[in-house]
Structures are given as structure tokens and as C-alpha cells.
Amino acid sequence: MKLTINGKLRELDAEPDMPLLWALRDLLGLRGTKYGCGKGLCGACTVHLDGQPRRSCQLTVADVASGKVTTIEGLSADGSHPLQQAWREFNVPQCGYCQSGQLMSASALLASNSNPSDEEISSAMAGNLCRCGTYPRIRSAIKSTFTDAAASATGGTGEGAA
């Protein structure tokens, strides 16, 4: 099977019904995508398929053969994506296990809506569970990303707008 992963065409020796999660982790060594529940309920395994957040535990290799998959490793090569920077600034992770899925859902939201409302953030992030309860920091990090972008566009600092 040939798949486009993080912008590169990759060839895999995998059965078509193999879950994408295991192909990413076991065959390609992309271990940033985590196994959480295996049922598509927790969001730890979230990747982008053609720009949309999807649960990789619920997709097969055959499901993504004609699409483009982006994993947390593909969000940025050096951790410089604005959300990754905000995650560090707001000290979002506690145990960190769910964070790659959180980041993938948040980045898909901001790619389609550069200034989401609180309700839109809640809706986009609802499928991502965090056992440590860092939801307030996650929300603050997301909001700072679009607040900082707006401040840069207007020459302001962005402070106080989050």
C-alpha cells in the first residue's frame, strides 16, 4: 500500500484492514500518535485526513490510501507551529499523553476558523479527553494563538484579549 503521510509518499507492507494507528506507530515509527481507547472515543489518536481531524484507531490503511494524512510529527518539523509554542507557553501538558490528539484537533479548528468562539472551541475539542483536566490551559493556549495573530496583524501585543 502507498500512503501520503506528512507530505511524503510512503510504501507499507500492510493488510488493507490494518488500523491506521498501528501502521503509523509500528510500521512507520511515528509514535506521536497515541493509542488511548481503541474505540474512537478519547481523541488521543487524532490525525488529519485531508485536513480534517479523524481518529486513526477507527481508520484502516485502505480508508486513507487516496488521502493525505498528517500526524503530530507533520504539524511542524521543529515544534514551531504556533499551537505547539502556545502549548509550551501555557504549560498545557501534565502527563502529556493526550496532547498530540489535542493539538491535532485544535490545529484543524484554527485552519478552518482563525477566530473561533468559545462554543466553537468547545465543540471542536469535545471529543478529546484529558485525564489530567488541563482543559482551561488548552482553551487558553488555543485562544492565545488567534489573539496573537490578530495582535500581529494590527501591531498590538495581544495581551488581555484572551
Side-chain angles (χ1 to χ4, degrees), residues 41-113:
L41 303 172
C42 72
C45 68
T46 302
V47 297
H48 294 171
L49 176 58
D50 297 326
Q52 297 301 308
R54 300 287 304 272
R55 306 299 189 244
S56 64
C57 72
Q58 298 295 293
L59 295 170
T60 65
V61 171
D63 291 336
V64 302
S66 63
K68 295 177 182 174
V69 175
T70 305
T71 68
I72 189 69
E73 292 90 351
L75 199 57
S76 77
D78 60 0
S80 63
H81 187 281
L83 277 169
Q84 291 171 313
Q85 292 176 351
W87 247 241
R88 287 188 296 273
E89 179 184 338
F90 284 85
N91 198 26
V92 171
Q94 191 162 319
C95 82
Y97 198 80
C98 70
Q99 296 307 309
S100 62
Q102 300 277 3
L103 279 160
M104 295 308 287
S105 290
S107 64
L109 167 65
L110 293 177
S112 66
N113 181 351

Side-chain angles (χ1 to χ4, degrees), residues 87 90-94 132-142:
W87 247 241
F90 284 85
N91 198 26
V92 171
Q94 191 162 319
C132 300
T134 64
Y135 301 112
R137 294 190 302 230
I138 290 168
R139 179 180 298 280
S140 294
I142 292 169

